[in-house]
Amino acid sequence: MRCAYFDAERCRSCTWMGRPYGDQLADKQAHVEALLGAGPQWLEPFESPESGYRNKAKMVVTGTAAEPMLGILDAAGHGVDLRECGLYPPSLQAAFPVLAAFVAHANIAPYDIAARTGELKNLLVTQSPDGELMVRFVLRSQEPVTRIRKHLPALLDALPSLRVVSVNLLPDHKAVLEGEREILLTPAETLRMRVNDIDLHLRPQSFFQTNTPVAAALYRQATQWVSGVAPSSVWDLYCGVGGFALHVAAPDRDVVGIETSVEAIASAQLSAAERHADHVRFEAGDATAFALAHGAPDLVIVNPPRRGIGARLAGYLDASPANHVVYSSCNAESLARDLDAMPSLRPVHAQLLDMFPQTTHYEVLTLLERV
């Protein structure tokens, strides 16, 4: 893949841009095998499209209300417009000029970091597999909300695929993407993300994998492993909107999903209710605290953030009667540390899934079995 932004040194976020894709996959596979060792049986890496794979755009808004720019900040803090970034599919790219025109029409001043003035900090745009959109305006205050509401019908007419619109309030001057408070502006509260014929509902503050085709492969492989060992009870820790839990659900299997995000749990509960998945239950809470307070099931699925599951949960799983763990990791280094803390659980199968082409990052799925 070639990128004009990268070649012009306007954006260097994709550190492996321009490298042959086969070389990228080979280096990632070598990296994860060096960390995990020769123990597991490795499946072939799952490839991603090299471009157009991102279902979510996190756009910093700079410039002026009359001429907003959507993209990133360079090292000097200046805005770089990335509306034609090749990581986004054409259908998502097509929404950016419409959203920029809306910002100008509603007269929403971009936030000036140096001067600490203005309102609009980020635009967060998510596209479903069916092409529907969720748009979130990250603002410093509620001041522009009235104007956004006033002009929203025009935006909905200009973007017929737009289903969910919200405002996120980030009043603090911090280098974070979003704040805690969300104001929904549309009757629809969730974006329907159909993955492997399962409808997962995504609320504005819920996490979803960036690469939908690779996420689908991730869930399929986990489901195959779980079906192979046929557990009667499963925990899905760090369950997000319930992707793993709903994929491995079966009439004779009790499944519990745990996630700290109340928004994500609400999404997961809605998806479960629509599927009449009576044996699947979701609760908001800390994964480690939940595990320490309950007896372990036959199989545990963990899909933690980059820091991994940590020593306490790893120690609990190592000492528990659970016979299998399915570990989905976006950071093989923290995975390796966690595996060292679980010597009673041996990795028997593993697969690299290339969630993030053109970068050093990837997902790795591992099936652990009690020795």
Side-chain angles (χ1 to χ4, degrees):
M1 175 183 173
R2 302 293 301 186
C3 173
Y5 296 114
F6 186 87
D7 291 342
E9 299 187 359
R10 297 183 64 198
C11 175
R12 290 289 174 144
S13 300
C14 297
T15 54
W16 280 6
M17 181 62 67
R19 295 190 62 190
Y21 187 58
D23 293 350
Q24 293 186 34
L25 274 181
D27 285 353
K28 290 180 181 184
Q29 186 67 38
H31 181 255
V32 70
E33 287 190 23
L35 287 169
L36 270 59
Q41 178 184 359
W42 286 95
L43 302 179
E44 286 295 315
F46 187 87
E47 299 183 11
S48 166
E50 291 188 52
S51 62
Y53 66 81
R54 288 190 65 93
N55 57 30
K56 183 173 184 178
K58 305 174 182 179
M59 310 295 270
V60 178
V61 185
T62 56
T64 65
E67 296 184 356
M69 294 194 298
L70 312 182
I72 61 170
L73 296 175
D74 64 17
H78 301 132
V80 178
D81 197 284
L82 294 182
R83 280 184 260 183
E84 296 182 7
C85 172
L87 298 189
Y88 305 121
S91 53
L92 185 52
Q93 286 184 17
F96 299 151
V98 179
L99 291 169
F102 176 80
V103 171
H105 187 60
N107 192 31
I108 312 171
Y111 184 67
D112 186 316
I113 294 176
R116 301 194 181 190
T117 59
E119 287 291 340
L120 183 56
K121 297 183 175 182
N122 303 308
L123 267 177
L124 309 180
V125 188
T126 304
Q127 181 176 347
S128 77
D130 296 326
E132 296 184 332
L133 296 174
M134 175 191 293
V135 173
R136 303 170 64 203
F137 296 88
V138 181
L139 302 174
R140 183 178 66 159
S141 76
Q142 294 190 61
E143 187 274 329
V145 173
T146 299
R147 295 197 303 280
I148 293 175
R149 288 187 188 274
K150 175 184 176 181
H151 297 290
L152 186 56
L155 177 60
L156 294 171
D157 286 342
L159 277 181
S161 58
L162 185 54
R163 293 291 175 268
V164 183
V165 180
S166 69
V167 162
N168 178 272
L169 296 180
L170 179 58
D172 300 324
H173 184 77
K174 293 181 178 179
V176 295
L177 191 65
E178 61 187 75
E180 295 181 1
R181 185 180 174 192
E182 200 84 19
I183 303 172
L184 274 162
L185 303 180
T186 51
E189 299 181 358
T190 66
L191 188 66
R192 191 180 299 271
M193 307 291 286
R194 179 173 289 271
V195 182
N196 297 324
D197 295 325
I198 293 179
D199 284 343
L200 301 173
H201 285 272
L202 183 65
R203 295 175 68 88
Q205 291 181 301
S206 303
F207 169 79
F208 195 84
Q209 297 284 4
T210 299
N211 189 325
T212 305
V214 177
L218 183 73
Y219 295 141
R220 289 195 301 269
Q221 186 56 60
T223 301
Q224 181 179 327
W225 286 343
V226 172
S227 298
V229 300
S232 61
S233 55
V234 173
W235 288 349
D236 180 6
L237 303 182
Y238 312 93
C239 70
V241 297
F244 283 109
L246 292 169
H247 274 82
V248 305
D252 57 349
R253 181 176 298 148
D254 291 322
V255 181
V256 179
I258 303 296
E259 167 63 50
T260 57
S261 169
V262 175
E263 290 282 296
I265 289 299
S267 299
Q269 289 171 338
L270 176 58
S271 299
E274 286 188 348
R275 292 185 63 79
H276 304 289
D278 299 331
H279 294 279
V280 182
R281 176 168 54 93
F282 294 100
E283 295 180 7
D286 178 77
T288 301
F290 174 85
L292 295 175
H294 295 81
D298 296 335
L299 183 145
V300 179
I301 300 171
V302 293
N303 183 25
R306 290 190 60 80
R307 66 177 180 273
I309 64 174
R312 291 185 70 201
L313 182 53
Y316 169 85
L317 293 175
D318 187 64
S320 78
N323 291 317
H324 295 90
V325 172
V326 175
Y327 195 136
S328 181
S329 171
C330 61
N331 182 359
E333 294 182 1
S334 61
L335 170 62
R337 289 195 300 269
D338 289 338
L339 292 181
D340 286 342
M342 297 185 288
S344 298
L345 291 161
R346 177 173 59 95
V348 291
H349 296 290
Q351 184 180 28
L352 183 151
L353 298 101
D354 194 16
M355 193 77 72
F356 311 100
Q358 319 307 333
T359 78
T360 60
H361 302 294
Y362 54 85
E363 194 86 9
V364 58
L365 188 68
T366 309
L367 175 64
L368 311 179
E369 186 175 74
R370 189 161 297 281
V371 177

